[in-house]
Amino acid sequence: DVKVTQSSRYLVKRTGEKVFLECVQDMDHENMFWYRQDPGLGLRLIYFSYDVKMKEKGDIPEGYSVSREKKERFSLILESASTNQTSMYLCASFPSNTGELFFGEGSRLTVL
Amino acid sequence: QKEVEQDPGPLSVPEGAIVSLNCTYSNSAFQYFMWYRQYSRKGPELLMYTYSSGNKEDGRFTAQVDKSSKYISLFIRDSQPSDSATYLCAMSEVGRRALTFGSGTRLQVQP
């Protein structure tokens, strides 16, 4: 069964803290994505990666960075968290031969 | 203007009703069209996937794409309370890995 696992379901951080959100997939997919989901705005793409050590900016990369050292793992990093980064973060993966994105359960981040 | 527009709802219908969910888009390069369903506190899951124009049916669900009008629809027949969720449309261009999502329509099916 397909599985995308996000390490933390709920996090509360302070402004200025460094935040790591981790995502692991067990399907050997080449492509992995980080989206954020906000009411009224839908899902917006932050970064994606199509191979190990490869990354591309999405629509809203400012304030974020990513790391993909292994094929199965894609990390989202907030270098200095701000209150406007309070959101639901969704990780997803898909193989190159289909359009089906498989999503994790999401990580709800609150920055105080 | 957003690239993909979707009415946020909420849409409330009685059990057994036919539900129509819609999205409009502005990018004529979109060729792949998808509908995702998202239950509360869960990640989205793929419901329907179509390429270019036409209809696709899967059980109680039918997806329609009208590229000339830049309009896609999802119909749910004999709606059930278990269909209560947020429905997201998504689209992509050929050769582009990332999807562009609508903001989602929240559906509530009343028993």
Side-chain angles (χ1 to χ4, degrees):
Chain A
D1 203 16
V2 163
K3 196 123 175 108
V4 178
T5 304
Q6 294 184 230
S7 56
S8 305
R9 292 294 308 276
Y10 301 94
L11 303 96
V12 179
K13 298 291 182 182
R14 297 268 175 208
T15 301
E17 279 192 81
K18 191 168 186 175
V19 181
F20 290 89
L21 299 178
E22 301 239 303
C23 175
V24 178
Q25 51 100 357
D26 64 359
M27 298 162 286
D28 202 35
H29 289 168
E30 295 86 0
N31 307 285
M32 296 188 75
F33 301 80
W34 276 105
Y35 285 89
R36 64 177 281 178
Q37 185 175 28
D38 300 287
L41 297 176
L43 276 76
R44 293 179 291 166
L45 181 64
I46 304 171
Y47 266 98
F48 68 99
S49 168
Y50 52 88
D51 203 351
V52 174
K53 296 191 187 297
M54 305 302 287
K55 60 185 179 185
E56 283 196 29
K57 293 180 180 179
D59 300 318
I60 52 162
E62 296 79 19
Y64 303 95
S65 62
V66 290
S67 172
R68 192 160 181 209
E69 296 297 317
K70 293 185 178 181
K71 190 175 185 180
E72 67 270 18
R73 189 179 298 269
F74 192 35
S75 302
L76 180 69
I77 303 150
L78 288 67
E79 293 290 341
S80 177
S82 63
T83 55
N84 63 10
Q85 292 178 310
T86 291
S87 187
M88 168 71 89
Y89 290 88
L90 288 161
C91 175
S93 73
F94 82 70
S96 292
N97 59 344
T98 77
E100 181 172 359
L101 269 180
F102 295 90
F103 282 90
E105 299 271 86
S107 298
R108 183 165 292 282
L109 171 67
T110 300
V111 182
L112 302 174
Chain B
Q1 187 192 3
K2 290 181 186 176
E3 222 172 354
V4 179
E5 298 275 2
Q6 186 175 7
D7 188 331
L11 180 62
S12 183
V13 302
E15 184 174 353
I18 296 174
V19 176
S20 172
L21 304 167
N22 312 293
C23 286
T24 59
Y25 62 94
S26 56
N27 184 352
S28 57
F30 287 144
Q31 293 283 353
Y32 297 100
F33 303 92
M34 284 139 274
W35 286 95
Y36 281 80
R37 178 176 61 195
Q38 185 176 22
Y39 291 114
S40 183
R41 297 188 190 89
K42 297 284 190 180
E45 56 180 349
L46 183 68
L47 256 186
M48 300 287 283
Y49 177 95
T50 53
Y51 172 70
S52 195
S53 284
N55 293 0
K56 186 173 183 178
E57 191 173 318
D58 184 1
R60 295 185 295 111
F61 299 89
T62 300
Q64 285 186 354
V65 175
D66 181 350
K67 290 188 68 185
S68 61
S69 302
K70 297 192 180 70
Y71 188 87
I72 70 170
S73 301
L74 177 71
F75 297 96
I76 307 173
R77 290 184 298 280
D78 187 26
S79 55
Q80 303 294 310
S82 58
D83 295 327
S84 298
T86 296
Y87 290 80
L88 299 145
C89 63
M91 329 186 167
S92 70
E93 302 174 28
V94 172
R96 189 163 188 266
R97 296 174 178 86
L99 301 182
T100 301
F101 283 84
S103 55
T105 300
R106 191 155 62 90
L107 172 66
Q108 186 73 35
V109 181
Q110 306 291 344

